[in-house]
Amino acid sequence: MIGLIAVTAAGHKAAARLAHAWPGQTVSYDGPARQALPQAWAQCDGLVCFLAVGATVRLIAPLLDSKWTDPAVVCVDESARYAVAVVGGHAAGANALAVRVAGVFGADAVITTATDAVSLPGLDTLGWPTEGAAGTVSRALLDGEPVRLEGDAAWPLPPLPATVSDVGEYRILITDRVVPVDARTVVLRPPSLIVGVMAESGVAADEVLDLVGSALGEAGLSRACVTALATVDDQAGAAGLAEAAQERGWALVTYPASQLATVEVPQVRRTVRARFRSPSAAEAAALAGADELVVPERRSAAAAVAVARVRPRGRLALVGIGPGARDLLTPRAVAELRRASVVAGLSQHLDQIGDLLPPGTRVLTSGPGEEEACARAAVKEAQQGHAVALVGSGDPDVCAPTRYAVELAGEDIDVVSVPGVAGGAVA
């Protein structure tokens, strides 16, 4: 929920306009700002203050606690010409909120976070937990220092600057392993682990979490990389499992016993098969949504767990840019173009969106008559684990390059479709 704080007639008018543009997403706070702002601070995910930046800063200063918990704060000037991200640019999403506000008013978004200001991805904003020297490595990226990228597998990352390669004193390490971290290394924790679990009906959440923790610890794996607990659907109502998942912020995924019975596991356990019609509920549940068993089933008094690893999949976005006018390019299309490390398409289409691509984006340009080759190149890049955007003019089922890509793409990559606005563009 976004709190709106205004004190002048112009501010109230602008706040009403924003509330109309975002139905059900805002709440307006009346009264003096010194009373309204602390109330909104405690209740909202973000604040849009139609106040001077200086006045807002003085009012929120006593409320500041942590960038991980404070709400986003954006200030809009009296004439609604600027939307300024004041607090929580990365962690709370103030930069993105400023852009959204600016879009409503046709204003300029003022982004003060260094990485966003120069279109570099913030290492703490990829949606993954980070450990180590995130600030130091981000500073190195900003300063153009060589930064080494290492990982156990290729994950579909956003574009990184040309200074990121396989050499450098600073390091970005992507791994689910517990590793030593020096003062020039940031560790990114990908969502690569699924924990399969089987438990008795009265199992306590603490017993499940202790067993998961010991299994991960003995295998040298990071808890931050666990993305879900998985089990047989007969146990979906087990309170201990639901509480354990909720406490850690993990999804709780369930599968029918008939599906788990088809999953190959290293060791068939007869007692489990008799109860759940599956050879090993914990191992089978872990492997049902993953690729590799990394911790075999282990037990406590009332529970059993196993851990499996998910192999990263490349991402191919089929992006329609519409008839060419910038105001007809959808926000979702812009977001996909900016998150892709590789953008491919015909030159006539890429020319229209080149200015939107962040530094470090690799561009694969094709000419007329090369539509199929263009699609093959995009699919190949996605198969290598990259985040790819293939640009076309309209609906992916109609535009030649994206239509070919739909035919060529296999189940080894994730494919998303972003249709463009219809407008008579040539495919």
Side-chain angles (χ1 to χ4, degrees), residues 21-43:
W22 298 344
Q25 301 177 46
T26 66
V27 57
S28 296
Y29 289 83
D30 297 323
R34 66 178 179 275
Q35 298 174 3
L37 203 151
Q39 184 180 2
W41 183 277
Q43 297 174 346

Side-chain angles (χ1 to χ4, degrees), residues 153-155 176 191-196 227 230 255 263-266 282-295 306-314 411-414:
W155 288 84
D176 57 22
S192 60
L193 301 177
I194 295 177
V195 177
T227 184
Y255 298 97
V263 178
E264 291 188 12
V265 296
E283 291 179 355
L287 286 167
D291 304 280
E292 171 193 8
L293 188 68
V294 290
V295 181
V307 184
R309 178 178 284 130
V310 178
R311 294 195 191 101
R313 295 162 59 91
E411 295 183 358
D412 56 336
I413 61 174
D414 295 324

Side-chain angles (χ1 to χ4, degrees), residues 104-189:
V104 173
F105 296 116
D108 292 328
V110 180
I111 307 301
T112 55
T113 306
T115 50
D116 283 346
V118 295
S119 299
L120 285 177
L123 296 176
D124 57 350
T125 62
L126 299 178
W128 297 351
T130 63
E131 298 172 13
T136 299
V137 177
S138 293
R139 183 73 258 171
L141 290 171
L142 288 167
D143 291 343
E145 297 283 351
V147 176
R148 188 166 79 254
L149 177 63
E150 297 179 359
D152 297 333
W155 288 84
L157 298 175
L160 296 171
T163 53
V164 177
S165 65
D166 56 358
V167 296
E169 295 183 7
Y170 299 92
R171 180 174 63 150
I172 300 171
L173 176 60
I174 304 174
T175 183
D176 57 22
R177 295 174 292 110
V178 176
V179 293
V181 178
D182 59 39
R184 294 191 174 188
T185 295
V186 59
V187 180
L188 306 185
R189 296 299 190 186

Side-chain angles (χ1 to χ4, degrees), residues 260-289:
L260 296 187
T262 66
V263 178
E264 291 188 12
V265 296
Q267 182 179 352
V268 175
R269 305 177 192 278
R270 293 180 180 178
T271 56
V272 177
R273 178 183 286 279
R275 180 177 176 187
F276 297 108
R277 302 183 304 282
S278 170
S280 170
E283 291 179 355
L287 286 167

Side-chain angles (χ1 to χ4, degrees), residues 29-407:
Y29 289 83
D30 297 323
R34 66 178 179 275
Q35 298 174 3
L37 203 151
Q39 184 180 2
W41 183 277
Q43 297 174 346
C44 296
D45 303 303
L47 281 62
V48 179
C49 302
F50 297 86
L51 305 167
V53 171
T56 302
V57 169
R58 285 191 292 272
L59 289 170
I60 67 174
L63 307 174
L64 293 171
D65 180 28
S66 166
K67 74 174 188 177
W68 305 113
T69 57
D70 292 339
V73 178
V74 170
C75 284
V76 178
D77 68 296
E78 186 76 357
S79 58
R81 293 174 56 195
Y82 301 98
V84 183
V86 177
V87 168
H90 273 167
N95 295 338
L97 180 59
V99 172
R100 289 185 64 201
V101 172
V104 173
F105 296 116
D108 292 328
V110 180
I111 307 301
T112 55
T113 306
T115 50
D116 283 346
V118 295
S119 299
L120 285 177
L123 296 176
D124 57 350
T125 62
L126 299 178
W128 297 351
T130 63
E131 298 172 13
T136 299
V137 177
S138 293
R139 183 73 258 171
L141 290 171
L142 288 167
D143 291 343
E145 297 283 351
V147 176
R148 188 166 79 254
L149 177 63
E150 297 179 359
D152 297 333
W155 288 84
L157 298 175
L160 296 171
T163 53
V164 177
S165 65
D166 56 358
V167 296
E169 295 183 7
Y170 299 92
R171 180 174 63 150
I172 300 171
L173 176 60
I174 304 174
T175 183
D176 57 22
R177 295 174 292 110
V178 176
V179 293
V181 178
D182 59 39
R184 294 191 174 188
T185 295
V186 59
V187 180
L188 306 185
R189 296 299 190 186
S192 60
L193 301 177
I194 295 177
V195 177
V197 59
M198 179 183 70
E200 301 298 330
S201 59
V203 70
D206 286 346
E207 181 174 347
V208 174
L209 292 176
D210 288 345
L211 186 57
V212 172
S214 64
L216 294 171
E218 291 173 18
L221 298 172
S222 171
R223 188 178 70 186
C225 294
V226 175
T227 184
L229 292 184
T231 190
V232 65
D233 56 7
D234 290 353
Q235 298 201 335
L241 297 187
E243 291 172 11
Q246 183 176 15
E247 183 173 333
R248 290 290 185 265
W250 299 332
L252 180 61
V253 181
T254 63
Y255 298 97
S258 58
Q259 181 177 346
L260 296 187
T262 66
V263 178
E264 291 188 12
V265 296
Q267 182 179 352
V268 175
R269 305 177 192 278
R270 293 180 180 178
T271 56
V272 177
R273 178 183 286 279
R275 180 177 176 187
F276 297 108
R277 302 183 304 282
S278 170
S280 170
E283 291 179 355
L287 286 167
D291 304 280
E292 171 193 8
L293 188 68
V294 290
V295 181
E297 186 170 295
R298 58 189 60 206
R299 296 171 174 268
S300 63
V305 301
V307 184
R309 178 178 284 130
V310 178
R311 294 195 191 101
R313 295 162 59 91
R315 190 174 192 276
L316 177 62
L318 308 176
V319 180
I321 61 172
R326 182 53 57 86
D327 60 346
L328 295 179
L329 185 63
T330 66
R332 185 178 171 191
V334 173
E336 290 293 348
L337 292 171
R338 287 177 172 165
R339 73 172 289 176
S341 61
V342 180
V343 175
L346 301 182
S347 57
Q348 67 196 67
H349 298 146
L350 295 178
D351 288 345
Q352 299 174 24
I353 51 86
D355 61 303
L356 295 174
L357 306 182
T361 305
R362 190 152 49 91
V363 180
L364 307 179
T365 304
S366 300
E370 300 175 337
E371 289 84 355
E372 185 173 357
C374 177
R376 288 187 183 279
V379 171
K380 182 178 179 180
E381 292 287 343
Q383 290 172 333
Q384 293 174 352
H386 300 299
V388 183
L390 178 59
V391 176
S393 58
D395 193 306
D397 293 330
V398 176
C399 183
T402 50
R403 185 178 69 245
Y404 282 124
V406 171
E407 298 171 356

